[in-house]
């Protein structure tokens, strides 16, 4: 006997699932496409680091991205990235570090540096971390290149933005472009955040969001904005992301100077 053809009503969910899978694949390809070539690292790469947990002589587990905001090794990142790293420590020898890869041909090589928490604003999902020492191995992989913080305090709808951050466990930070799309209060703390058209992926939390015109930091990426569909039990990527405004980073920096 021949199979019974499915009705249009049965075919629509399958069609949408295929469209979602295709859309997700495109986002992943965009997120995976680094604009950098060669074995060196650009100044933008030297501004960002992985937030990781490392066991001496063992493996490194990555949890997100952070970026330098001062030449003395002061780093900003999302607080949930740092807290996840802390919660992952089960070995007394392990510690939260910042890591950077230093060879594009030998991708398993990396350099790490110990950090300490110096300021926090958990309501706005921001923490400041500090390198304990900028040792020679770290200097050999580019050292510390601080990103300037924006002073305008505004981001108009449609303004071009960009970011650089780590995609999951990838060895090198990726560069993406997007645009501002207003503000949102979707976060768990119900604080106002920037809404960005940007296909960010896990691992890029804590990345710097920069003005496409000036290169100055206008925010810190915190999360994607998922979309729920009735025929798909797993939330899909909406192509939107949330970012905490840079003013909250500046307030933490000012608190250190008092």
């Amino acid at each position: 006997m021949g199979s019974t053809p499915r009705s249009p009503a049965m075919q629509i969910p399958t069609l949408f699932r295929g469209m979602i899978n295709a859309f997700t694949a495109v986002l992943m390809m965009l997120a995976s496409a680094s604009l950098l070539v060669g074995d060196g690292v650009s100044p933008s790469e030297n501004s960002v680091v992985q937030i990781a947990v490392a066991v001496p002589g063992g493996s490194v587990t990555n949890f997100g991205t952070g970026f330098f905001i001062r030449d003395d090794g002061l780093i900003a990142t999302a607080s949930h990235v740092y807290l996840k790293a802390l919660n992952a420590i089960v070995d007394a020898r392990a510690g939260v570090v910042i890591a950077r890869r230093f060879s594009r041909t030998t991708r398993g090589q990396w350099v790490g540096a110990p950090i300490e928490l110096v300021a926090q604003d958990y309501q706005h999902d921001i923490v400041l971390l500090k390198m304990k020492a900028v040792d020679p191995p770290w200097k050999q992989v580019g050292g510390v290149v601080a990103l300037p913080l924006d002073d305008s305090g505004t981001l108009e709808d449609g303004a071009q933005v960009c970011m650089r951050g780590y995609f999951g466990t990838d060895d090198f930070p990726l560069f993406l472009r997007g645009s501002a799309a207003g503000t949102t209060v979707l976060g768990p703390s119900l604080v106002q955040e920037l809404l960005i058209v940007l296909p960010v992926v896990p691992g890029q939390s804590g990345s710097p969001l920069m003005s496409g015109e000036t290169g100055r930091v206008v925010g810190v990426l915190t999360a994607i904005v998922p979309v729920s569909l009735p025929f798909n039990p797993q939330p899909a990527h909406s192509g939107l992301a949330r970012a905490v405004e840079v003013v909250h980073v500046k307030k933490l920096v000012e608190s250190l100077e008092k």
Side-chain angles (χ1 to χ4, degrees):
M1 296 177 62
S3 60
T4 302
R6 291 180 295 175
S7 67
M10 296 175 62
Q11 294 176 15
I12 290 176
T14 301
L15 174 63
F16 276 119
R17 280 197 296 269
M19 292 173 62
I20 292 170
N21 291 337
F23 179 64
T24 302
V26 171
L27 291 179
M28 297 298 281
M29 285 190 293
L30 288 173
S32 300
S34 175
L35 301 183
L36 304 173
V37 295
D39 291 333
V41 288
S42 73
S44 294
E45 279 191 293
N46 291 340
S47 298
V48 296
V49 293
Q50 291 175 315
I51 308 299
V53 167
V55 177
S59 61
V60 178
T61 303
N62 306 316
F63 290 89
T65 302
F67 59 98
F68 291 114
I69 58 174
R70 269 192 343 208
D71 295 337
D72 61 357
L74 188 65
I75 299 162
T77 187
S79 62
H80 74 266
V81 170
Y82 177 72
L83 293 175
K84 283 183 179 179
L86 282 181
N87 292 337
I89 294 177
V90 295
D91 191 312
R93 299 173 301 159
V96 179
V97 301
I98 51 173
R100 179 182 292 160
R101 306 291 164 165
F102 62 93
S103 171
R104 288 183 176 277
T105 55
T106 309
R107 301 180 71 86
Q109 296 178 318
W110 61 277
V111 164
I115 51 177
E116 60 181 340
L117 176 67
V118 293
Q120 63 281 327
D121 178 355
Y122 296 128
Q123 180 183 10
H124 294 97
D125 200 6
I126 297 291
V127 294
L128 298 184
L129 309 172
K130 184 75 161 49
M131 290 182 73
K132 293 184 178 180
V134 183
D135 53 16
W138 190 264
K139 293 179 179 178
Q140 292 172 8
V141 295
V144 173
V145 179
L147 289 174
L149 304 182
D150 187 74
D151 293 323
S152 67
T154 60
L155 190 63
E156 296 182 358
D157 289 0
Q160 296 301 299
V161 294
C162 57
M163 59 79 63
R164 190 180 294 278
Y166 287 90
F167 171 29
T169 58
D170 271 13
D171 294 327
F172 298 98
L174 309 174
F175 183 83
L176 297 173
R177 295 186 183 275
S179 59
T183 59
T184 177
V185 289
L186 291 176
S189 299
L190 297 180
V191 298
Q192 181 171 286
E193 293 182 275
L194 300 172
L195 192 61
I196 308 297
V197 181
L198 198 65
V200 299
V201 292
Q204 293 175 339
S205 287
S207 297
L209 179 70
M210 298 165 284
S211 166
E213 295 183 358
T214 66
R216 290 179 171 272
V217 177
V218 295
V220 181
L221 290 167
T222 57
I224 67 171
V225 179
V227 57
S228 297
L229 300 173
F231 48 82
N232 187 359
Q234 298 298 323
H237 197 315
S238 66
L240 299 174
R242 304 199 320 262
V244 175
E245 294 176 295
V246 72
V247 63
H248 302 296
V249 176
K250 297 173 73 172
K251 287 180 180 179
L252 281 185
V253 174
E254 292 171 359
S255 72
L256 297 177
E257 300 170 349
K258 292 180 180 179

